[in-house]
Structures are given as C-alpha cells and as structure tokens.
Amino acid sequence: KWKGEGTTQNLESIVIGRCYDYIRIVNPAVGEKNCSEIWEAFKNAFVNKDPCSILPEDYELFINLSLHTIPPNKSLFWENNHLLVNSFAGRGRRYMSLADTLFGFCGDFLNWCGQANSIELDYESCPTTEECENNAVESFWRMASITYAQHSSGVIHVLLNGSAVGGAYPEPGFFADYEIPNLQKDKISQIAIWVVDDIEGPDTDSCGTHTVEKLENRLRTLGYDVTCTDNYKSVMFLLCVDYPDDSKCTLSSSLLFWTGSILPAA
Ligand code: ENP
C-alpha cells in the first residue's frame, strides 16, 4: 500500500539486542539503561497510529530514556556519507556520530511503521517521506538529530561528500534544517568542515565554492569559528583502502615512502 519498504523483520529483537550491545560492549560509559523500557517507548511512538501522523515529539520518552553524554570534540555531522561515517567514527572510538549514540544506534539501517487501529507493525510497506513527512522513521531521525545537536560541544566536525549530486551541503537536509539550528553556540569552540570527494567520483564541490561556501557563510554569520579542509587526509586514507592503485591513493603513499626513505633521520 505504501511505496517504502516495510518494517525490518525481528525489529523488537534487533532494537533490544542493539541496546544491550551498546550499553554492555560498545559504550559502557553510558551507565545502566533499561533496554526493555527503551523498546516500549520506541514502539509506543508509532504503534496503533496513522503512519502519516507521527511527530518528532512522539519519541520524547524514548529519547529521555536513552539519552547520555556526548563527549566534547567527538561529534561528527555528515551528509551523503553513511557507510564512510560509520567506519570513520569506529563505533564511537574515533568520533561519535549520531549513529554511535545509544538513541541513533537503535535505529541505524532499520525501517519501521505501524498501522491505524492495529497494534501490529506493517511488515509489507511503510510511507516514504515523499508520501508523508510525518512518518515514523523521518520523525525519529528529526528528533534524534535535534537532540544530538543540542548535546554536541567543543570542536564540531562535519564530513561532507564533495562528489554528491546537487552539492555537498544539501538544503533541505537534516544538517541544514534540524542540526545547525539546534547547536548550542556557547558550548562550541569551532566547526571543522571536511569536504571529501569519492575516490573515483567528480570534484563537484569544495571549500569556498557552491554549497560549501553557502554553509561556511551561514555558520560564520551565526558567529562560529569555521575551518574547512578539502580531502582531509585521515578520511582519504580510509577511502583508499578500497582503491590502493588509484592515483589519488598511490601519490600520497609514495610521497610518504620517498620522504621517509630519502630524508636523512633528524
Ligand atoms: P542518508 O540518506 O545518506 O542515509 C540514510 C541512512 O543512514 C539510513 O540507513 C538511516 O537509517 C541512517 N542514518 C544514520 N544516521 C542518520 C541520521 N541522522 N539521519 C537519517 N538517517 C540516518 O542520510 P541523510 O538523510 O542525508 O542524513 C544524514 C544526517 O545524519 C546528517 O544530517 C548527519 O549530520 C546526521 P534508517 O533508520 O533510516 O534506515 C540524522 C538524520 O547525523
């Protein structure tokens, strides 16, 4: 009936299992959390309701139960880079993206929706954002984004894709619409933007041009100290794992090799 994919099979087991995985193994620093209560609050946001009338506020209890501190200087915002961000963040070891918080971790890669006048989830199909924006998944990420931005502090990192069609900084987008407006200026020392192109992709957008320039101007107008780096090396190294022979990858490794072997030890 809807155009989107249905609820992920075994949703309850996955969410409860992820919650325990998170609090016991991924990030025990969050302390004790009640994973069955967290699941109930998550489910009650959308079951037995019109799947097009779910609001971000419906996840308020879920968020309150799963909220924890986001370490300063660890926040990583992004657009069009889901898998790269997952590996770069390293489940919170390097950075803590929204999907590395307990509340984001519970929903990452999953799909879900309920039905009006039934306590059953809909495993056949769910509304897409084009069909109705007040759907269970969209409202979840809006609420999660708002909360994540409000609790981010120190140096804020933003990883954008310089090869993305339509620009590295999409508007509308979660970062533009739900995250920037909810950053707490007095807790933020700097915003570091990284614009990284796909290894075999076009260089569509860079620091100081097109949509990235727009983002830099917006943040500076808001009073932030903004830096921007093209093809930030650490991220490039990670991308190069899959393209060791591409010229973008061999150049930096041969430079490292040559400088290391030619320069005399200091
Ligand atoms: P996409 O469209 O590249 O990727 C969407 C995929 O990322 C979905 O599998 C989604 O899980 C998962 N995901 C992880 N974190 C978020 C998220 N945070 N979010 C929406 N989906 C997320 O991502 P978008 O739409 O451009 O969103 C990027 C935003 O995430 C940025 O604003 C970044 O700062 C933020 P699922 O459950 O839908 O399968 C917020 C919105 O962290």
Side-chain angles (χ1 to χ4, degrees):
K1 127 178 125 192
W2 301 108
K3 295 204 180 87
E5 262 181 58
T7 301
T8 309
Q9 295 285 341
N10 309 104
L11 184 76
E12 176 172 356
S13 306
I14 297 173
V15 173
I16 295 177
R18 281 187 178 182
C19 176
Y20 282 118
D21 183 27
Y22 193 89
I23 65 167
R24 299 291 176 239
I25 295 152
V26 177
N27 189 9
V30 298
E32 203 54 36
K33 298 280 177 194
N34 187 333
C35 290
S36 36
E37 229 185 306
I38 287 175
W39 159 253
E40 288 298 321
F42 176 79
K43 186 181 71 174
N44 287 333
F46 60 91
V47 289
N48 208 359
K49 293 183 190 175
D50 169 1
C52 282
S53 306
I54 313 300
L55 300 174
E57 301 82 82
D58 293 331
Y59 287 99
E60 207 170 301
L61 180 58
F62 164 79
I63 291 285
N64 287 341
L65 293 171
S66 57
L67 191 61
H68 56 83
T69 328
I70 297 164
N73 311 316
K74 288 272 193 168
S75 285
L76 176 59
F77 294 85
W78 57 278
E79 289 286 0
N80 297 304
N81 265 327
H82 187 205
L83 297 179
L84 173 62
V85 166
N86 278 164
S87 36
F88 188 55
R91 294 181 124 210
R93 279 188 295 268
R94 201 174 284 115
Y95 291 100
M96 189 178 282
S97 73
L98 174 51
D100 306 302
T101 65
L102 173 56
F103 42 105
F105 196 78
C106 286
D108 205 17
F109 293 103
L110 305 180
N111 213 28
W112 61 89
C113 64
Q115 317 179 44
N117 309 313
S118 161
I119 55 158
E120 300 295 317
L121 304 187
D122 191 340
Y123 293 97
E124 299 300 316
S125 65
C126 289
T128 59
T129 299
E130 291 66 46
E131 287 175 291
C132 57
E133 63 172 335
N134 291 335
N135 68 65
V137 173
E138 182 74 16
S139 291
F140 171 88
W141 288 113
R142 286 184 185 179
M143 187 64 176
S145 288
I146 292 166
T147 309
Y148 177 67
Q150 286 171 340
H151 288 83
S152 291
S153 64
V155 179
I156 301 292
H157 306 90
V158 187
L159 179 52
L160 301 177
N161 186 333
S163 301
V165 184
Y169 167 63
E171 285 178 304
F174 283 101
F175 184 56
D177 301 330
Y178 298 96
E179 294 172 334
I180 294 178
N182 284 294
L183 293 172
Q184 305 292 298
K185 203 171 158 286
D186 49 323
K187 295 196 300 185
I188 292 168
S189 52
Q190 190 176 65
I191 301 187
I193 305 169
W194 297 319
V195 185
V196 179
D197 301 331
D198 292 339
I199 297 295
E200 292 184 327
D203 175 10
T204 321
D205 227 337
S206 308
C207 295
T209 68
H210 307 111
T211 68
V212 184
E213 182 184 27
K214 203 169 172 198
L215 170 63
E216 291 173 76
N217 290 338
R218 179 177 175 191
L219 294 173
R220 288 199 178 108
T221 305
L222 287 169
Y224 291 105
D225 172 11
V226 181
T227 65
C228 188
T229 309
D230 285 309
N231 293 319
Y232 177 55
K233 252 195 200 168
S234 299
V235 178
M236 289 299 284
F237 285 134
L238 187 57
L239 286 174
C240 282
V241 169
D242 294 322
Y243 301 90
D245 296 327
D246 190 282
S247 60
K248 282 184 188 167
C249 298
T250 47
L251 185 64
S252 58
S253 55
S254 55
L255 270 177
L256 280 179
F257 175 76
W258 285 112
T259 46
S261 57
I262 288 176
L263 291 177

